[in-house]
Amino acid sequence: MYKNKRITVLSHMLVWLTLICLPYLLSYGQEQDFSRVIAHFWIPLFFSAIIFYLNYFVLIDRFLFPKKMLYFIIINAVAILCFLYLKEYIEDNFFKDIIKKSVLGAERVRPPFIIAVYIQILSYLAPLFFSIALKSTKRWIKTEAERKEAANFKLKSELQHLRYQLQPHFFFNSLNNIYALVDISPDKAKKSIHSLSKLMRYMLYETSEESISLSKEIDFMKKYIDLMKLRVSDKTVVNYSFPSEETGIKIAPLLFISLIENAFKHGVSASKPSTIDIKMTCNTKTVLFVIKNDNFPKKTEDKSGSGIGLPNIEKRLELLYPNNNRFKTAVNNNRFVAELEIETN
């Protein structure tokens, strides 16, 4: 706001510096007597100020922008003609003797009447065009700011929707896993509920910010992995490696959890050996997350989950890290591989 006001003030100063200099540039080398300056320059400049601010504050908003061009042209034409008449009237009645002396002293360089009128009209058109230019620029800046604000609001709303979409999906899958433990191992089920409550606290209260420290997200993922390990059999091996030191990197929350969910959902079998490998590496600005798991496709009759995890990741990456992410998935030798690389600011 302060910056916009400063630009407006500077623009007005530039306009009036130009308008003050313009009469001198069009004076044809005539003698710059003080009274003559008042008659020929400062009086027209006063009329120019009226034209400028009349258009700037009233006419442009009321007629030009609503595209009532005919009214806009007629009003300005009448105003300019009135000011031309008033200028001549003031010169004839208040500065007549000075004008005569000036004409006698500079008769050889006095321009023809038509050219003189043409020059005066141009001198009044200049503030008109300046007012249009400044008002149009101000309007464009305001429109652009509103457009950016609307786009930012839309982005935040869409991200919030995606986050709210992810949370029920996460809780739904977690509760399904705990439900499967109730009959098999009540103690593990109780422990899982306690762990889930901690994860819920994190998701509800810690992830409301646009970005959080990577160390907090890593701690959340470790707790979730430990929760999921309670429900898998001894035939499943889970290996994970995360940076152990504080990186100072901040990242959008809950970007990686869907990939881990996906691994436990589609990479674990109750009857066959399976392995899940999770690895995260990072440098000053880049985070690379790689997860590999055996591929056990979801059966048609399995209605658990909703399949929104991976599309949710892709959409959030598109909104949060446009042109600063690399996300790819593939199946190699019956092993599902997902790689997500993010370049943070």
Side-chain angles (χ1 to χ4, degrees):
M1 182 66 72
Y2 174 76
K3 184 178 179 181
N4 290 340
K5 287 183 177 180
R6 186 172 62 179
I7 291 174
T8 301
V9 171
L10 290 174
S11 300
H12 281 251
M13 290 176 63
L14 179 62
V15 166
W16 289 114
L17 179 62
T18 304
L19 291 177
I20 289 170
C21 294
L22 188 62
Y24 293 95
L25 296 175
L26 299 175
S27 62
Y28 292 93
Q30 298 176 28
E31 183 183 351
Q32 302 299 320
D33 180 78
F34 179 71
S35 298
R36 183 182 178 281
V37 168
I38 295 176
H40 279 294
F41 298 154
W42 290 106
I43 290 174
L45 187 62
F46 174 73
F47 293 151
S48 295
I50 295 176
I51 290 175
F52 179 88
Y53 286 110
L54 177 66
N55 279 275
Y56 189 84
F57 289 114
V58 180
L59 300 181
I60 293 174
D61 287 328
R62 193 166 182 178
F63 298 108
L64 183 62
F65 288 159
K67 297 183 179 179
K68 298 178 181 179
M69 291 296 296
L70 183 60
Y71 293 104
F72 182 76
I73 293 172
I74 290 174
I75 292 172
N76 276 287
V78 170
I80 290 173
L81 290 175
C82 287
F83 290 144
L84 287 174
Y85 171 78
L86 284 173
K87 176 180 177 296
E88 294 299 323
Y89 177 83
I90 292 171
E91 287 182 354
D92 290 343
N93 288 273
F94 298 98
F95 298 95
K96 190 173 183 179
D97 295 336
I98 297 170
I99 298 299
K100 284 183 178 179
K101 291 179 181 179
S102 175
V103 170
L104 291 173
E107 190 168 354
R108 287 179 299 175
V109 294
R110 186 186 181 193
F113 176 77
I114 297 298
I115 295 179
V117 172
Y118 175 73
I119 291 171
Q120 291 181 52
I121 292 175
L122 284 181
S123 69
Y124 290 129
L125 287 177
L128 171 61
F129 292 145
F130 277 133
S131 65
I132 293 173
L134 285 180
K135 196 72 174 181
S136 299
T137 302
K138 184 178 179 181
R139 188 190 191 199
W140 178 84
I141 292 173
K142 182 181 178 182
T143 302
E144 190 67 13
E146 290 174 349
R147 185 192 66 78
K148 289 181 179 179
E149 185 178 355
N152 189 45
F153 178 78
K154 181 182 177 182
L155 173 63
K156 288 182 177 179
S157 299
E158 193 165 357
L159 286 171
Q160 189 176 46
H161 170 72
L162 290 170
R163 189 176 298 171
Y164 288 158
Q165 185 185 52
L166 178 62
Q167 289 179 355
H169 175 261
F170 173 84
F171 294 140
F172 181 80
N173 285 343
S174 299
L175 289 172
N176 273 341
N177 294 330
I178 294 172
Y179 176 77
L181 290 173
V182 171
D183 294 329
I184 301 172
S185 176
D187 290 337
K188 283 188 176 181
K190 288 173 63 177
K191 188 176 180 181
S192 296
I193 292 172
H194 181 67
S195 298
L196 180 60
S197 67
K198 292 182 178 180
L199 297 177
M200 289 176 65
R201 181 183 298 275
Y202 173 83
M203 294 188 74
L204 292 174
Y205 300 111
E206 298 289 336
T207 63
S208 58
E209 302 293 329
E210 291 184 6
S211 60
I212 59 173
S213 65
L214 183 60
S215 57
K216 283 187 177 182
E217 189 73 2
I218 289 172
D219 185 58
F220 169 72
M221 288 187 285
K222 286 180 178 179
K223 289 178 180 177
Y224 179 74
I225 292 169
D226 292 338
L227 172 63
M228 291 295 99
K229 286 169 67 176
L230 293 175
R231 64 167 283 270
V232 299
S233 67
D234 295 337
K235 294 182 179 181
T236 299
V237 177
V238 181
N239 303 310
Y240 62 81
S241 172
F242 293 100
S244 57
E245 298 179 356
E246 176 62 51
T247 61
I249 294 175
K250 286 187 171 291
I251 200 165
L254 307 177
L255 276 177
F256 309 105
I257 196 65
S258 292
L259 294 175
I260 299 176
E261 279 188 285
N262 190 69
F264 278 98
K265 185 173 183 58
H266 301 291
V268 172
S269 172
S271 57
K272 299 178 182 179
S274 55
T275 303
I276 298 175
D277 296 309
I278 303 169
K279 185 176 182 181
M280 175 183 283
T281 57
C282 58
N283 55 30
T284 307
K285 291 186 177 181
T286 303
V287 178
L288 175 62
F289 183 83
V290 180
I291 186 165
K292 301 177 182 179
N293 56 269
D294 293 294
N295 189 38
F296 299 104
K298 184 178 177 181
K299 296 180 180 178
T300 306
E301 61 271 17
D302 184 359
K303 301 299 181 182
S304 63
S306 57
I308 66 170
L310 296 183
N312 186 289
I313 292 175
E314 292 174 347
K315 186 62 177 177
R316 292 185 72 202
L317 288 172
E318 179 185 335
L319 296 173
L320 290 167
Y321 300 100
N323 304 318
N324 288 323
N325 76 86
R326 181 177 62 86
F327 178 52
K328 64 178 183 178
T329 59
V331 178
N332 299 320
N333 299 322
N334 205 33
R335 294 270 291 172
F336 181 83
V337 181
E339 291 186 13
L340 173 53
E341 185 176 19
I342 298 171
E343 184 178 343
T344 62
N345 294 327

